Every structure is written in structure tokens, then in C-alpha cells.
Amino acid sequence: MTDPHHDAGHDDMSALFKAYITVFIALSNVAAVWLCYFVGKRYYSSFVGLAAAALFALSPWAIVYSRKIWAQDLLTVFTCLLLLTAHAFVIDRKPREIFWLVFLLGLMTQLHFSAVALIFVLVPVFIAGRETFRWRWFWLGIAAVAVLYLPYVWHLASTHAKELGALGGSESTSRGQVLLASLRHSLGVSCADAMDGLMGTEMKCASVLSLFLGLLGVFGLVWVYARDRRTPQASVRLALLIWFIAPLVCLVVARVKPFPHYFIILYPLPFLGLALALEKLGARRPFLRNASLAICLIIMSVLTGFV
């Protein structure tokens, strides 16, 4: 017979472990919001940093992901760090940042394979910083990633890589379906679109509001690239646009059915783009800019009430 006291103790330890993990993930997402401010300030302006961090903090999807115990829920800290590192490499011309760019990408792909799409972001970053590029730091980063992957490679060898057979696309899903779903999730992940599949309910206007705010975010990223295309910052502006598009393209090419959490890798880009759009809107009227930000935050707060 099973000892009931042993089972109770095991359940208590399991619950305690889950509580620790939940707190850790929540704190990591709080740190991501804090880092988002510095990303926005360093790339654009203090207003963009503050507005993007506030939007990030109140985003319904971001709040949901900060509450769950999924490996990909830790990605947001590393996406912010990757953005800061890319800026230090291209704009501040620090060669050792190459190591961290490679290492962070390797770490993120272990958390979730959606990070593989960011390879297409690092390539233009390295090209933009080619005068600063040093192969020594690149190969040191590759070596660090190889050490990081040793346990996983050992696991694949011991299991004859059976789990890799589950990867890949589905012949029953057309690329057109993947494209439409990926577009929706790319735009809606910033707010509260398609939450009924996970939460069981959502406001009737959630999809429309989410897609509208998502389109504003894309407009902000495109506008700032067009504005700065002849400046030294143009390369990092272009890298952010590629970052936004790369996951969608990879899913369509591989014909993989998309889910909302595949697009956590986009954070904090939607909030930076939305903050840029608001800054553009109120370029000559600070009151209009601040009022628009307040309306966006109110919308997200209302939608968050359904989370």
C-alpha cells in the first residue's frame, strides 16, 4: 500500500515548487517590462520607453503569459536583452557584444524553437556592424552555445532523436491558412485577440481593438524606419522590421500551424511600435499624444479585466 503521508508530502513539495516557478516567471516578466523602458529610451526616446513599458505591463496577453508555467514565458527578458545588445554592437560599436548576441540566440532557442526565426535578424545586424565584427567573439559565442546544447544533444543521442520526428509542418494545413492565422496572431499578441481559445472567454470587441492597436504598432515601426533610413540608425530600424516579419515567414514556409504563444518572440516590438505611432501622432501636440496613450492604456486595462 502507498503511504498517504508520503503522498501528501510529495504534493506539498510539488505545490511549493510550482509556486516558486510561478513567482520566478512573474518576476522575469516584470524585469522585461523594466528592460523595455531602456530599450525604448535607447533606440528612440524617453517617451517611447515609458509608453512602451506601460503598454507592455497592461497587455492582456503579456499578463497571461507571465502567470503560466511555460518555458517560452521567459523569452521576453532575453528579447529585450538581445535588442539592447544589438544596439550596443551596431551603434556603440562594441565587438564583444557579438558573443552575447550569439549566446542569447542559442539560449532562446532552447526555451522555444520560435527563436530560430531571429537568425534572420542577426544576419543584417552583423552586416550593419561589419566594421566592428570580430570572428574571435563570434566563435566564442558558438562554443558557449555548443556547451549549452550538450545535455540536449546527449538526450537526442540516447533516444535516437525520436522526438524530432514530431517537428515540421502538416500537409493538411495550407500555407494560406498559416499566413492568415500568423498575421492575426502577429497583430493581436500585443493586446487580447484570440484569448477565448485559452481563457474560454473574451470581450466581443477584443479582436477589433487588438488588430487596430497591432496595425498602429506596425505603422510606428515602418514610419520610424522610413524617417531614419538615411541615418546610422537605419540598420537597427530595419532589423526590427525583419524581426516582426521573420516568425510569420518561417511558419508559412514550414507550414506549421501557428498558436498565439509562438509570437511571444515579438515582444516588446508591438509596444515599441505603438508608442512610436503615438509619438508621431502628437509630434506637435503633446496633449494629443498623452491623451492617446491614456486611451490605449484604458482599453488594455478594460480588456485585462477579462483575463
Side-chain angles (χ1 to χ4, degrees), residues 6 9 22 63 72 81 126 129 136 165 177 196 209 216 222 224 226 294:
H6 174 78
T22 302
I63 290 173
Q72 61 266 25
L81 288 174
F126 287 151
R136 175 184 61 174
Q177 291 174 317
D196 54 334
L209 290 173
L216 272 182
V222 173
V224 80

Side-chain angles (χ1 to χ4, degrees), residues 3 36 62 77 114 181 187 201 212 238-239 272 284 293:
D3 183 358
C36 177
V77 170
S114 60
L187 297 174
T201 182
F212 173 71
L238 178 61
L272 293 171
R284 298 182 180 180
L293 173 60

Side-chain angles (χ1 to χ4, degrees), residues 5 13 39 42 77 96 115 128 130 145 183 190 216 218 224 250 255 258 261 266 275 285 297:
H5 298 291
M13 287 297 294
V39 171
R42 186 163 298 182
V77 170
R96 69 178 60 188
R130 56 189 176 275
V145 171
L183 277 172
S190 63
L216 272 182
V218 173
V224 80
C250 290
R255 201 181 292 182
H261 67 268
L266 294 181
R285 297 183 179 86
L297 293 175

Side-chain angles (χ1 to χ4, degrees), residues 18 25 47 49-50 61 78 90 101 105 124 144 146 167 174 193 216 247 253 259 274 288 293 304 307:
K18 289 180 180 178
I25 291 175
F47 171 80
L50 185 61
W61 265 126
F78 299 109
V90 176
L101 287 169
L105 179 60
L167 298 178
S174 70
D193 182 43
L216 272 182
V253 171
F259 294 94
L274 184 52
L288 179 61
L293 173 60
T304 299
V307 174

Side-chain angles (χ1 to χ4, degrees), residues 40 42 84 117 125 132 134 219 226 264 304:
R42 186 163 298 182
L84 291 171
V125 167
T132 312
R134 301 292 183 273
F219 166 77
I264 295 176
T304 299

Side-chain angles (χ1 to χ4, degrees), residues 184 187-188 190-194 202-216 299 303:
R184 178 179 178 180
L187 297 174
S190 63
C191 199
D193 182 43
E202 69 175 24
M203 288 184 65
K204 292 182 179 180
C205 60
S207 294
V208 175
L209 290 173
S210 298
L211 296 178
F212 173 71
L213 294 178
L215 286 171
L216 272 182
I299 290 173
L303 294 175

Side-chain angles (χ1 to χ4, degrees), residues 78 99-112 140-155:
F78 299 109
F99 170 85
W100 292 110
L101 287 169
V102 174
F103 181 75
L104 284 171
L105 179 60
L107 181 61
M108 291 163 67
T109 54
Q110 280 216 333
L111 291 173
H112 198 267
L140 283 173
I142 293 293
V145 171
V147 172
L148 190 67
Y149 267 81
L150 277 177
Y152 182 61
V153 173
W154 179 266
H155 167 73

Side-chain angles (χ1 to χ4, degrees), residues 25 58 62 65 114 122 138 182 198 230 246:
I25 291 175
L58 288 176
Y65 293 136
S114 60
L122 288 195
F138 176 80
S182 297
L198 183 66
R230 301 184 188 276

